[in-house]
């Protein structure tokens, strides 16, 4: 059974940090690139990062560059999203998703085969 399970979300104050995890099972993890998306209340789901299966190259939207870091641990079939200097506008449900390409069209939800259910990140003082 294919599964992506996100964890690590929570409620933090502005300026804080969180490390989200995306644990994969039921498919050959090494063959899939993993994207991170987020969906704020009342807004569409947006792609924010991707890590390529082939070479580990990472991609980020400009809004989060320098604050978000995507990494992977192949031995644990897990991808991480380190979020630093959190802002209230980072409040959203964060999702991970898997695609068989090297982050092609990585910001588009339609490019992904599998999705997790998300983890909530809330930033407020």
């Amino acid at each position: 059974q294919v599964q992506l399970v996100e964890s690590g979300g929570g409620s933090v104050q502005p300026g804080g940090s969180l490390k989200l995890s995306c644990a994969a099972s039921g498919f050959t993890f090494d063959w899939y690139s993993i994207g991170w998306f987020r969906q704020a209340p009342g807004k569409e789901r947006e792609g924010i990062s991707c890590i390529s299966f082939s070479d580990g190259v990472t991609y980020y939207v400009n809004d989060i560059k320098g604050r978000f870091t995507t990494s992977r641990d192949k031995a644990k079939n897990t991808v991480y999203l380190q979020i630093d200097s959190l802002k209230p506008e980072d409040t959203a449900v964060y999702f991970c998703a898997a695609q068989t390409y090297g982050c092609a069209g990585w910001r588009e939800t339609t490019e992904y085969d599998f999705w997790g259910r998300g983890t909530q990140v809330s930033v407020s003082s």
Side-chain angles (χ1 to χ4, degrees), residues 22 35 44 68-69 74 80 83 98 108 124:
C22 171
E44 293 191 354
F68 288 34
T69 304
K74 286 188 174 183
Y80 303 98
I83 311 175
E108 302 299 324
S124 68

Side-chain angles (χ1 to χ4, degrees), residues 77-97:
N77 282 5
T78 300
V79 169
Y80 303 98
L81 182 67
Q82 175 71 41
I83 311 175
D84 298 317
S85 302
L86 276 157
K87 303 176 181 180
E89 52 263 44
D90 295 320
T91 295
V93 179
Y94 285 71
F95 300 88
C96 63

Side-chain angles (χ1 to χ4, degrees), residues 51-117:
I51 185 165
S52 174
F53 77 95
S54 58
D55 51 14
V57 172
T58 52
Y59 303 86
Y60 303 96
V61 293
N62 287 336
D63 290 354
I64 65 169
K65 280 184 179 178
R67 297 194 298 122
F68 288 34
T69 304
T70 297
S71 61
R72 66 183 180 183
D73 185 334
K74 286 188 174 183
K76 295 183 178 180
N77 282 5
T78 300
V79 169
Y80 303 98
L81 182 67
Q82 175 71 41
I83 311 175
D84 298 317
S85 302
L86 276 157
K87 303 176 181 180
E89 52 263 44
D90 295 320
T91 295
V93 179
Y94 285 71
F95 300 88
C96 63
Q99 59 156 248
T100 54
Y101 306 104
C103 291
W106 64 270
R107 296 199 64 189
E108 302 299 324
T109 58
T110 53
E111 295 295 324
Y112 292 83
D113 302 303
F114 312 122
W115 287 84
R117 294 187 174 185

